[in-house]
Structures are given as structure tokens and as C-alpha cells.
Amino acid sequence: MRDQPISPLGDDGLTRDQALSALGEDGVTAEPVSPPIDGKDGVALHQPFDVDSLYAMRAALVAHGSELGADGVALERLVLVASELATNAVRHGGGQGTLRLWRTGVSIFCEVSDRGPGIGDPRAGTRRAGPTEPGGRGLWICRQLADSLVIEAGSPGAVITASIALLIAEG
Amino acid sequence: MAEATAVDLATARDHACLTFTDPEERLDLVARFVREGLRQRDKIICWSDELAPETLAKEFAARAVRPGSALRRGQLSIAPASESPLVREPGGAQAMIRMLSGEISRAEREGYRGLRVTMDMACVTRPAAAADQLMGFETDVAALCAEGRLCMFCQYDRDRFDAVTLAFAAQAHPVTVAAQVYHESPLLRVCRQYSPSGLRVAGEIDYRHGDLFEQALGEAIRLDRHPRVNLRALDYIDAAAAAVLVRAALRLPGSRFMHVSCGRLVATMVEMVGGREAAQLRVHRVDGEL
């Protein structure tokens, strides 16, 4: 899925190759992303969530993702990635978390933070679980559908930031 | 008072009331009614209100009913309900009963086992229709059905009728027909699909409904050789629920297939959890992509 073209990239001045070279050799590690400050420069959505508000969070994601310029495949990937990260936070990260969404250049970033035990292994989700395994797919899927994924330690918990390029060929 | 229970449509041969809010579900049940009638060599008349006859025929064709040859040989006829005697003629109820009596005799002469009629009763809510004829018709047609040669399937759209009329309709029919519902909430509906037979899921589904989804899929697998899983109205599925679907398909023997129809987002998630590894799983994207 990640091999679909995302060019031309716009005001970031990055080609797809340049963007991918920012990732490590395994395509896993990227430089942590500095989000804008809430309320000052462009966080479109700052939404706490728990198990009972996952539906509402997805509806907000669609609305704000569209506002930020995502549609078609990009919007669907945003919803799938952010929802899997949020579900992980609910199921394994203390039962609740916070989603933030913003746009930088031609990418939308979504950050999901929780106050759970954290993710010790930064390579978590690099192995694909087989169809008959009971779980362990969420992060792997996020890595496939997002253009970058950064896992950081929170205090406590985990902060995961994914980016989705806005220009993705429909397919 | 009608039994407000799910009915196996294959055995329904009476004066039945189908109340619905979801057009897709209505079409599914009516298609099954027609398919069963064709199989049993009944003559069938469909009075359509909301959909033009050609459109309804296309909807049947999309639901495992082959209307073409049945229409040509006269076993099946589809007509606008606005042209029925119930709507067009003064004293419409009696005129409709006379017409049905004539059609029953004609079907017998033509060698059919009996007559099946389904009608979208919303036609009586149109401005030109005599709504007061509805109650008289429903009362009299019950007697005609009781003779055993007519199976009448009356469709009531809950959004078109007031509560008093719906209560009357429920009382006037011995049987209420509805899809078997496994789960219903404002955000998720999981019910059996009858034509083609399988399962229909609409709304959003995630890990919290994994057990329910697994049970419903399990029943479809038990009942249907090649279950059809209709996810066209499913707007979201998470990895856990998609994995339930793929695991269910993997449990099928190699000679059986699970056909899933869905939009792109759902197809993406099914692929992400290993859908392509399940040879028994056939995903049909509603936008035409595979």
C-alpha cells in the first residue's frame, strides 16, 4: 500500500524519496515530530477518548480530516490508522487517551497519547501477525498505512505520531 | 395479534406484514419472497410504489433472483401500485379483492401452484389514494388468504405510516415478517440476509462486537454453503473485527467460499489482516475494484 505514488509533494519541498529517506533503513524509525501548540498554530482537533467515545472520535476524525484537506484514500487511511492507535490506547494503554490532529505541508499528522505502561520496544508492530493469531495487528497495520510512525515514551504512557500524505492515488 | 417474530420466509404462506425502516432490508425480504415463489411455481405479482418496475427488477437481479425469463413467460409481473385497483378505483378495497380473486383463478388455470402477491402499501398514502380503503382491504384479503390459495405480503414503511395504522396492520396480519436480527443499535445492525442468503452488517463494527460477529458468521456458515456477507453499508471495521471475518472464512473447507461485498475502507482492512491468504474468501468491492 505504501508504494502508491504520493507525488508531487508541495510546499514542503520534499520528494517522496526524500521523505522516505527520513525513515530508517527498516522504514520504522523517523525523527520525532514536533506538534504545534494547541490553540496557537494549527491543532485542528484535540480530543480525549475512552472506550465509550470511540465512535464519536471517528466521526470527529472524518470531519476534521476533511477540513484539513484529506479525502478518498487519504481520509480512509487517517481514520483506520488513528482508530487503531486509539483502540490500542483503550485496550492496552490504560483505557483512555488523547488524539491530536494537525496538518503540516501536504501531510496530516495524528498523535495518540495514553497514560498506560508505555511501549518498551520501538520496533513494536514491525512483525505481521498471521490471520489466525488472536491479536497484535494494530501497530503493524498503522505502519503499513501511514507514511511515517514514531513511537515515543510519554510521562507516563506512550505517544505515537503517524503521518498521512494528502496526495495518494485513488485505488 | 400478529406474532412479531422472525419468520423463515420459505415456509411463510399466509397474510404477512413486513414492516421496515431500512430499504435494503425490505428489498432483501421481498426478493426472497419472489425467489421462493419462483422456486415453488407460484404466480407472482409485485405492486411497487417507491421504485419503478424496471428498477425493482434490477434490484431483484442483484439479489439472486432471475426475473427476466419469469417476466417474459408471465409467471412474474411487476407493476406500479398506483395503477392497482386499490388506489385507482372507487371502493378500491373491494375492487382489489375482486381482482385478486380473478388472478387466483387465472393462476390455477395456467397451472401454477398458487398466487403470491406483495404490495408496497405506501401507495395508499399518496394524495390521490383513498387511505380509508386500506383497513377494508386488509380485513377482506385475510379471508382470501385463509382459503389457502393466496400468499399476500404487505409492505409497511415505518417512516410513511402513523403509529395507529401500523398498530392496525400488525393486528390485521397473522404473521409479521422481519429479518432475524443479531444486534441492533443506532450505530450497528447485524442481521441475516435472505437473498442471497448470508449476513448483513451495517454501521460501524469494532472489537467490542467481535463475539457477536463471530456467532453471526458462524450461523451463516452453518446455514449457507457459500455465505454472502453484505458489508456495503458498513462504514468502519477495525482490525480485530476484520480478523474475525478472515478467521471465519479460513474455517471453511476449500470447496466453499465466503463472498464479502464491501466498500474500499473495509476491503483495505480485510486485506491488512490477511484476507488474501484465505483462499475461501472472495472480496467484491462495490466500486468494482477487487
Side-chain angles (χ1 to χ4, degrees):
Chain A
M1 304 292 273
R2 294 184 55 171
D3 291 337
Q4 289 181 325
I6 2 176
S7 61
L9 296 181
D11 42 10
D12 271 359
L14 291 177
T15 65
R16 176 181 169 79
D17 288 342
Q18 287 170 324
L20 291 178
S21 72
L23 304 175
E25 286 181 4
D26 50 9
V28 169
T29 311
E31 290 299 313
V33 179
S34 299
I37 308 299
D38 285 5
K40 287 188 176 174
D41 51 357
V43 170
L45 178 64
H46 180 135
Q47 180 147 341
F49 60 82
D50 61 16
V51 66
D52 295 321
S53 54
L54 289 172
Y55 289 117
M57 188 210 73
R58 286 197 286 270
L61 257 175
V62 171
H64 288 272
S66 300
E67 272 300 298
L68 292 175
D71 60 7
V73 174
L75 185 59
E76 289 176 1
R77 288 189 188 185
L78 176 66
V79 170
L80 290 173
V81 168
S83 299
E84 286 301 319
L85 294 177
T87 298
N88 272 354
V90 167
R91 297 181 77 179
H92 312 296
Q96 57 191 329
T98 301
L99 169 78
R100 295 204 301 163
L101 198 67
W102 70 93
R103 175 175 173 169
T104 300
V106 292
S107 291
I108 291 183
F109 290 81
C110 71
E111 174 201 271
V112 172
S113 56
D114 64 51
R115 302 180 69 79
I119 299 175
D121 180 5
R123 296 177 56 83
T126 52
R127 185 189 76 84
R128 178 168 178 255
T132 55
E133 292 182 50
R137 296 176 183 80
L139 272 179
W140 185 85
I141 289 169
C142 293
R143 290 191 187 282
Q144 304 310 303
L145 296 179
D147 291 281
S148 69
L149 191 95
V150 178
I151 301 174
E152 298 171 280
S155 53
V159 180
I160 305 181
T161 307
S163 73
I164 307 285
L166 286 171
L167 300 172
I168 303 173
E170 297 287 308
Chain B
M1 184 71 183
E3 286 184 45
T5 55
V7 170
D8 180 347
L9 291 169
T11 65
R13 182 165 181 80
D14 208 323
H15 184 208
C17 175
L18 163 62
T19 49
F20 67 95
T21 47
D22 180 348
E24 179 82 10
E25 196 169 303
R26 182 258 293 263
L27 285 168
D28 175 43
L29 289 163
V30 172
R32 174 62 185 263
F33 177 81
V34 171
R35 188 158 64 110
E36 196 60 25
L38 293 175
R39 195 180 69 78
Q40 296 193 15
R41 295 194 61 258
D42 286 339
K43 192 167 187 183
I44 305 155
I45 302 173
C46 296
W47 296 103
S48 175
D49 182 68
E50 192 179 330
L51 299 178
E54 317 79 67
T55 310
L56 185 57
K58 283 180 186 164
E59 293 287 352
F60 285 159
R63 288 172 172 76
V65 179
R66 292 192 176 89
S69 58
L71 285 165
R72 283 192 293 277
R73 66 176 174 265
Q75 184 181 3
L76 170 65
S77 47
I78 306 175
S82 58
E83 293 178 9
S84 70
L86 181 64
V87 176
R88 289 187 63 181
E89 296 187 21
Q94 283 308 309
M96 188 77 179
I97 294 295
R98 281 196 301 277
M99 184 276 287
L100 287 177
S101 298
E103 287 295 329
I104 289 170
S105 302
R106 192 171 149 194
E108 281 182 345
R109 283 198 307 276
E110 292 172 347
Y112 292 107
R113 194 191 67 150
L115 181 67
R116 272 181 186 236
V117 178
T118 182
M119 185 168 202
D120 185 346
M121 308 312 287
C123 59
V124 305
T125 65
R126 302 283 180 203
D132 61 316
Q133 294 295 315
L134 177 67
M135 294 189 181
F137 168 71
E138 289 288 19
T139 305
D140 291 346
V141 82
L144 208 54
C145 288
E147 293 172 11
R149 293 176 300 163
L150 171 65
C151 180
M152 179 87 200
F153 207 77
C154 304
Q155 306 163 36
Y156 283 85
D157 184 342
R158 288 195 189 91
D159 291 336
R160 298 283 294 275
F161 287 94
D162 60 84
V164 174
T165 308
L166 288 173
F168 162 78
Q171 220 159 19
H173 298 79
V175 179
T176 296
V177 174
Q180 182 183 351
V181 178
Y182 300 104
H183 177 84
E184 182 160 29
S185 70
L187 294 161
L188 175 65
R189 182 174 171 85
V190 182
C191 64
R192 183 140 176 81
Q193 178 176 277
Y194 294 89
S195 190
S197 57
L199 184 69
R200 181 166 177 267
V201 185
E204 300 187 10
I205 191 165
D206 62 22
Y207 71 94
R208 289 170 290 177
H209 295 103
D211 289 345
L212 167 94
F213 193 29
E214 189 170 8
Q215 286 166 14
L217 285 165
E219 182 153 308
I221 286 170
R222 280 193 298 280
L223 293 172
D224 310 312
R225 176 162 171 74
H226 302 298
R228 308 283 174 144
V229 182
N230 180 351
L231 306 182
R232 293 175 189 191
L234 189 64
D235 297 322
Y236 174 77
I237 188 169
D238 74 351
V244 167
L245 179 78
V246 174
R247 282 201 299 272
L250 282 168
R251 283 199 295 272
L252 285 171
S255 59
R256 294 174 60 189
F257 299 101
M258 177 184 287
H259 294 271
V260 175
S261 54
C262 61
R264 183 174 56 199
L265 182 146
V266 172
T268 300
M269 188 55 98
V270 170
E271 184 181 341
M272 284 286 118
V273 301
R276 285 187 189 272
E277 294 171 39
Q280 305 95 320
L281 184 64
R282 302 289 163 90
V283 177
H284 309 272
R285 259 175 57 179
V286 290
D287 52 4
E289 297 290 330
L290 294 177

